[in-house]
Amino acid sequence: MLTRRHTLRLAVAGLALAAAPAFAQDWKAKYPELVFAIIPSENASGVVERYTPFVNYLAKELGTKVTLRIANDYAAIIEGQRAGNIHIGMYGPASFARARMTGAKVDAFAIETNLDGTKGYHSVFYVKKDSPYQKVEDLKGKNLGLVDPNSTSGNNVPRFALNGMKIEPETFFSKVVYTGSHENAIIALQQGTVDVAANWWNDEQESNLQRMSRKNMVKADDFRIIYKSDQIVNSPMAYLTELPEDLKAKIRDAVLNLATKDKAAFDKIYEGKQGPLVAVDNKAYDPIIELNKFVDDLRKKKSS
């Protein structure tokens, strides 16, 4: 026989069960559309082709609309997340660190990995294969191609490296050009607009140059490396801190299981040249904040 106490307990339990699914879906009313954006490491059509399958997969896994936004520059992602208009962003290490430094409430949750399981890449300086330059010091009075002020391998690490060589770029080189993307830096080098270009490089199998070669944009053998940095922590994916915890959990689950749940979408991004995305947190990028501060100090010294 049910007592009044039992009846009350059952009623409360029933309310809790009924409320749980509704509570779990509350975020869909506030976020009927999520925006995913990525830094412009390649041209816009390349970004669309590479990331559209992933965005479609994410929409299916989350059960809500996900829109791909192509940023004009690295700062656009930072500003978009700071304003709350971009919910999920694919950053480079320096741009993510800059976002945190400038007040964006964002959390890294996934990091790219290499095929050997490592979580780092390198900044390199390329020259044309048939050029006479063997080291950076040979390029005095020539033109340097960088990528973007918020690029790790395309600006901050190169400036850090040049400082170690006692080279002040704006006086050592005839011209320092921000090309806007890693692809544009290689194209500028190919066309002779610059004589040396900074870029990202994972290993002999994967780099921006190798990707461009696979797309028949350039021939990788036409270029050679004259400088390679120490390893840099790989790029993160980050979401807004303010997103509901259950939504963030679903995003994490979808992204961290992309390689197995939708291999085709994963391979479209990485072309079989990188390992799965794995969990990471903001602490991994604290050293990059220090790198950014160092480069900022160099800029201040130059302008003073």
Side-chain angles (χ1 to χ4, degrees):
M1 179 177 176
L2 289 174
T3 66
R4 187 168 180 270
R5 182 180 296 174
H6 288 138
T7 305
L8 183 59
R9 283 179 181 170
L10 288 170
V12 171
L15 285 171
L17 288 169
F23 178 76
Q25 300 302 318
D26 278 351
W27 61 265
K28 288 190 177 181
K30 187 174 181 181
Y31 301 98
E33 176 185 3
L34 295 172
V35 176
F36 171 81
I38 181 169
I39 56 173
S41 58
E42 60 187 325
N43 60 47
S45 62
V47 173
V48 171
E49 184 177 355
R50 192 177 297 278
Y51 278 92
T52 293
F54 165 71
V55 168
N56 291 340
Y57 159 80
L58 196 57
K60 180 182 176 182
E61 290 294 305
L62 300 179
T64 194
K65 182 179 180 182
V66 180
T67 300
L68 173 63
R69 181 175 298 175
I70 302 167
N72 293 326
D73 56 24
Y74 287 50
I77 298 241
I78 298 170
E79 293 303 319
Q81 287 221 286
R82 189 159 57 191
N85 299 324
I86 294 173
H87 306 98
I88 310 165
M90 190 71 208
Y91 284 94
S95 51
F96 175 68
R98 182 69 62 187
R100 290 177 60 204
M101 291 168 68
T102 54
K105 302 300 183 186
V106 290
D107 292 314
F109 67 92
I111 184 174
E112 295 177 331
T113 66
N114 305 323
L115 287 175
D116 63 2
T118 57
K119 302 171 186 175
Y121 69 114
H122 303 268
S123 174
V124 297
F125 281 132
Y126 284 115
V127 295
K128 287 185 177 179
K129 184 178 181 179
D130 58 2
S131 77
Y133 314 120
Q134 300 300 317
K135 57 187 185 299
V136 176
E137 288 83 355
D138 296 336
L139 286 143
K140 185 173 176 62
K142 303 301 179 181
N143 295 335
L144 167 65
L146 298 177
V147 174
D148 182 283
N150 286 304
S151 172
T152 316
S153 58
N155 184 67
N156 287 7
V157 172
R159 286 187 179 275
F160 177 82
L162 291 170
N163 182 74
M165 300 173 198
K166 309 300 182 186
I167 290 174
E168 203 291 303
E170 277 70 20
T171 57
F172 180 84
F173 296 101
S174 175
K175 190 185 296 182
V176 177
V177 180
Y178 281 116
T179 61
S181 74
H182 288 271
E183 283 190 348
N184 286 347
I186 295 295
I187 291 168
L189 179 58
Q190 180 187 46
Q191 295 177 345
T193 307
V194 300
D195 303 288
V196 56
N199 235 257
W200 69 263
W201 185 93
N202 281 8
D203 50 38
E204 295 293 343
Q205 286 71 47
E206 184 63 335
S207 62
N208 174 60
L209 180 60
Q210 290 294 341
R211 285 187 178 183
M212 293 178 71
S213 182
R214 292 195 294 269
K215 292 192 286 185
N216 296 315
M217 296 175 69
V218 295
K219 291 182 179 179
D221 289 343
D222 289 345
F223 307 88
R224 56 185 168 82
I225 294 171
I226 60 168
Y227 169 81
K228 183 177 73 173
S229 75
D230 291 336
Q231 196 173 66
I232 311 159
V233 62
N234 268 346
S235 298
M237 193 178 293
Y239 43 40
L240 296 177
T241 306
E242 69 179 18
L243 293 179
E245 290 302 321
D246 54 336
L247 172 55
K248 288 192 287 188
K250 287 179 73 72
I251 293 170
R252 282 196 307 273
D253 180 71
V255 171
L256 297 179
N257 290 291
L258 172 64
T260 52
K261 282 192 171 182
D262 194 334
K263 189 174 184 299
F266 177 79
D267 287 344
K268 192 67 178 177
I269 298 174
Y270 297 114
E271 302 174 37
K273 304 296 183 181
Q274 289 185 236
L277 291 145
V278 300
V280 76
D281 59 24
N282 289 351
K283 287 183 181 179
Y285 298 92
D286 286 349
I288 305 298
I289 289 179
E290 296 309 309
L291 171 65
N292 284 1
K293 289 177 179 177
F294 179 85
V295 173
D296 290 348
D297 288 342
L298 287 180
R299 192 176 297 120
K300 289 173 186 175
K301 289 177 184 176
K302 183 190 73 174
S303 60
S304 61

